[in-house]
Amino acid sequence: MKFDDLAVPMDVTASIADQYMTWSAIASVGVVSRTNVGRLWNSEAVNSNARLGTAMCDAAMPDLAVFPFGATPFFCWYITAEGAVVEKQVSVGRRGITFEKA
C-alpha cells in the first residue's frame, strides 16, 4: 500500500465464503510525518499550559517516513508557564502518534 508515495508494508488476509469476500489489511509499521507530529505536539503543549511559541520538535525528523511500532529517535519539548522544560519522545503505534515521557 502507498501513503503519499511512501510504501507502507501491510499484513493482508482474505477469505471467500459463499458469495462474499472478506479481507483485512493491518500495517506492520507506522508513518511519521513532521507536519502531523508538529500539529499534535502543538495541541498537547497548548492543552498543557505551555508558553506561547516554545513547542518544538527535532529538526532531524523526516517530512514523511515509516518506522517500526514503538519509540522513534525523535523528541519534542516545550516550556511551561512556570518555566519548566517538558520533553517527550515521539512514539508510533497502530492508533497513531503518541508522546512518551523521556
Side-chain angles (χ1 to χ4, degrees):
M1 177 173 226
K2 291 213 178 225
F3 178 82
D4 285 348
D5 292 328
L6 182 68
V8 179
M10 300 248 178
D11 297 321
V12 179
T13 58
S15 64
I16 299 174
D18 295 323
Q19 298 175 0
Y20 301 99
M21 178 178 172
T22 59
W23 62 275
S24 70
I26 299 172
S28 54
V29 296
V31 176
V32 173
S33 159
R34 176 196 319 261
T35 300
N36 289 341
V37 169
R39 287 180 182 152
L40 289 169
W41 184 245
N42 281 328
S43 177
E44 181 162 319
V46 166
N47 291 331
S48 299
N49 201 25
R51 285 187 187 165
L52 188 61
T54 63
M56 298 182 172
C57 293
D58 282 332
M61 190 178 306
D63 288 336
L64 189 65
V66 295
F67 285 89
F69 292 130
T72 71
F74 308 112
F75 291 84
C76 295
W77 58 92
Y78 61 82
I79 299 172
T80 66
E82 295 78 27
V85 175
V86 174
E87 180 181 60
K88 294 187 179 179
Q89 190 167 16
V90 178
S91 291
V92 63
R94 292 197 187 281
R95 295 186 175 234
I97 299 294
T98 58
F99 302 99
E100 309 298 329
K101 289 187 178 181

